[in-house]
Amino acid sequence: MAHRLLGSTAIALTTLITLCAQTSTPWTPSRLPDGHPDLQGYWTNSTETPLERPKGLGAQEFYTDAELAALIKKDQDRVTLNKDEGRPTEPGTTADVHYDYTQYGLDRGQAKLSWNRRTSLIVGEQGTLPPMLPEARKRNAEIAAKNRGRGLDGPEDLSLSSRCIVVAQESVPLLSGGYNNNIQIVQGDGVVAIMSEMNHSVRIVPMDGRPHLPAEVRQFRGDSIGHWEGDTLVVDSTNFSARNPFQGSGDKLHVVERFTRADADTILYRFTVEDPETWDRPWTAETAWSKVDGPIFEYACHEGNYSLRNTLQGARVAEKEAAEKKAGK
Amino acid sequence: MLMAGMPLWAHHSFSAEFDSNRPIKLRGTVTQWELVNPHSWIHIDVKNEDGTVTNWMIEGGSPNALLRLGFTRNSLPAGTEIVVEGYQGKDHGSIAVGKNITFPDGKRMFLGGSANEPEADKK
């Protein structure tokens, strides 16, 4: 697997350098009968690049070739070491519980473009989220305080993701998580469908110029409408529910996603986020999706969600043990 | 490390369901494998020191993740002898989460079940 990772890295480097420098000779996408580029197929948005720029890099938006090679080597050494040892983490530590870190790396490493020269997905000199507005900080602190007071009395005390209702990876914009970072795009007559493997949800994006849903309609993944700007698919999403925030956003969240075929194996995915009640300015991030083999597997999250029962059962046992301890038993 | 700040999505809070202070290593025989979402479950009969047998329920990764890690639906037929390393459930009963399993021929496979705390992934 280590070998495979290295092999894919080489492709990633070549492609991304081309993307970043924007000096490539234009690649001509294959087109559908309606004349628009064909974005269809299976993709992964797995990436090793963090959303925000790591501290200490300042305004450096791209790694140099040497820096990137060193980072990849460091990661490679770690993977090789872990593979040989068969036990990558310290027993008893949270990190050991229980995802094998090398396997996470493996999962991401399967994407051809999991490495690229970007130091952060967020573009520009800043490379980080804009400072949160004071009222947004207050709002989020209140939400956090409310959540802290929550126990494990019943299933509704658990998060939306634990309850399989909505998860981050299927939300808007589309960012990768630990696993199942696979997306299928299907273009139909007047609609584009974007399916996320994680939680198996399909976003149907109308392309017929209709307006957004009435403002009072709020959805966990918002309301998306799309149009073409040249060869770029532009998807505009509003009508979000603050119950499924993105990076601390509120219900004024507005996301514009731009999908552009960069070459036969790549979609350049760029999105701009604004929320006047959360940040004082919009911010933009960019990542590359790479082609993967299908199919997308079903993820019927509710099917065997024993974890809720186990969690609540564990909480009851903990309460009982605490009560017994208090009673001096 | 590049992973810094990467929000690894935790489907279930590990710490709410399993006890990191109770690592376990179990040798047992597969009685059933539920290849279901969001996490798979392997049931194994484990012989206790007193000769009795306890049926343990071991959490593994989602079927999607397992298939991509090299498992097939035929990987764990009933009767397969395996060793599981993992952590016991918070109810301190015969429920656990598996980190990995080892087959009699020494082959070890990762079992990727419910995610750990996101904080733990910030390297």
Side-chain angles (χ1 to χ4, degrees):
Chain A
M1 189 48 68
H3 178 72
R4 210 165 118 198
L5 274 167
L6 281 176
S8 60
T9 300
I11 302 165
L13 281 172
T14 326
T15 315
L16 254 293
I17 287 164
T18 316
L19 280 178
C20 299
Q22 296 186 335
T23 53
S24 57
T25 48
W27 177 79
T28 314
S30 61
R31 290 175 192 280
L32 294 176
D34 65 6
H36 294 303
D38 185 358
L39 302 174
Q40 298 184 113
Y42 304 106
W43 307 93
T44 178
N45 62 350
S46 275
T47 181
E48 299 280 1
T49 310
L51 180 66
E52 295 192 89
R53 189 166 302 153
K55 286 193 175 78
L57 289 173
Q60 186 183 342
E61 197 168 354
F62 298 99
Y63 290 114
T64 64
D65 290 349
E67 285 169 337
L68 184 62
L71 274 171
I72 293 170
K73 185 174 182 308
K74 196 174 158 195
D75 188 65
Q76 203 53 61
D77 289 347
R78 180 185 58 77
V79 172
T80 310
L81 185 75
N82 292 339
K83 205 177 153 208
D84 293 344
E85 287 177 351
R87 180 185 280 283
T89 46
E90 285 295 312
T93 61
T94 318
D96 191 49
V97 181
H98 63 168
Y99 265 134
D100 183 327
Y101 182 55
T102 57
Q103 300 288 348
Y104 259 135
L106 181 152
D107 190 42
R108 279 179 215 283
Q110 286 175 340
K112 282 181 188 163
L113 298 178
S114 61
W115 292 96
N116 74 61
R117 286 181 53 197
R118 280 206 167 281
T119 55
S120 58
L121 298 183
I122 297 180
V123 304
E125 273 194 18
Q126 193 76 24
T128 54
L129 292 162
M132 204 172 264
L133 295 168
E135 59 264 37
R137 279 209 300 275
K138 187 167 172 277
R139 180 183 72 226
N140 284 313
E142 283 167 5
I143 294 170
K146 210 171 142 190
N147 284 338
R148 266 197 301 278
R150 275 181 146 167
L152 289 171
D153 292 339
E156 288 178 355
D157 286 331
L158 288 149
S159 68
L160 292 175
S161 63
S162 289
R163 290 152 64 197
C164 296
I165 292 171
V166 67
V167 308
Q169 273 155 284
E170 62 178 324
S171 299
V172 180
L174 293 159
L175 289 174
S176 64
Y179 58 102
N180 288 353
N181 296 312
N182 301 296
I183 296 160
Q184 184 180 8
I185 296 180
V186 177
Q187 288 163 260
D189 185 14
V191 291
V192 174
I194 303 166
M195 181 162 87
S196 297
E197 182 170 72
M198 198 45 146
N199 226 14
H200 203 80
S201 58
V202 186
R203 184 152 48 117
I204 307 281
V205 183
M207 301 290 292
D208 57 4
R210 75 181 67 179
H212 277 297
L213 293 171
E216 66 270 23
V217 180
R218 296 284 154 182
Q219 307 188 119
F220 287 139
R221 299 186 301 137
D223 173 56
S224 295
I225 52 175
H227 67 275
W228 291 93
E229 287 180 14
D231 284 343
T232 296
L233 168 67
V234 181
V235 177
D236 187 290
S237 301
T238 58
N239 298 64
F240 288 97
S241 161
R243 290 179 63 199
N244 185 32
F246 173 62
Q247 300 291 333
S249 65
D251 61 7
K252 294 288 191 297
L253 177 67
H254 176 209
V255 180
V256 179
E257 300 159 281
R258 302 175 68 86
F259 302 74
T260 311
R261 272 305 276 271
D263 63 31
D265 293 323
T266 316
I267 286 178
L268 191 62
Y269 178 71
R270 190 178 172 96
F271 60 85
T272 298
V273 176
E274 62 175 349
D275 176 356
E277 293 180 359
T278 302
W279 301 287
D280 65 359
R281 54 182 180 272
W283 54 276
T284 297
E286 181 180 274
T287 187
W289 294 6
S290 45
K291 196 161 231 180
V292 285
D293 293 334
I296 296 282
F297 294 113
E298 188 189 21
Y299 190 78
C301 186
H302 282 293
E303 187 182 29
N305 199 3
Y306 298 137
S307 307
L308 289 192
R309 185 196 68 192
N310 295 344
T311 298
L312 297 173
Q313 198 166 284
R316 298 294 80 78
V317 169
E319 281 168 2
K320 189 164 168 267
E321 285 175 355
E324 283 170 1
K325 201 174 165 191
K326 206 175 165 191
K329 282 186 189 173
Chain B
M1 183 54 234
L2 269 187
M3 300 281 290
M6 171 67 65
L8 278 187
W9 176 70
H11 182 244
H12 294 105
S13 169
F14 173 91
S15 63
E17 191 177 355
F18 301 104
D19 191 339
S20 63
N21 296 316
R22 291 185 180 228
I24 48 139
K25 188 171 183 176
L26 301 167
R27 180 184 297 275
T29 309
V30 176
T31 56
Q32 192 195 354
W33 187 24
E34 290 186 85
L35 205 48
V36 296
N37 286 298
H39 305 291
S40 57
W41 291 89
I42 304 168
H43 300 252
I44 55 171
D45 271 345
V46 177
K47 203 177 239 183
N48 303 310
E49 279 174 11
D50 63 5
T52 57
V53 171
T54 304
N55 192 253
W56 281 74
M57 196 172 160
I58 312 291
E59 191 201 77
S62 69
N64 316 17
L66 292 180
L67 287 166
R68 293 197 175 99
L69 287 167
F71 281 85
T72 72
R73 67 191 335 179
N74 302 316
S75 293
L76 285 172
T80 309
E81 234 184 77
I82 54 171
V83 174
V84 177
E85 281 186 282
Y87 293 87
Q88 194 173 12
K90 279 236 159 160
D91 70 349
H92 302 160
S94 53
I95 291 173
V97 63
K99 265 163 59 80
N100 57 56
I101 59 176
T102 310
F103 290 88
D105 63 2
K107 185 177 168 193
R108 179 189 280 201
M109 288 182 88
F110 170 65
L111 212 48
S114 73
N116 54 358
E117 300 291 79
E119 290 76 16
D121 297 305
K122 290 176 182 170
K123 302 288 166 183

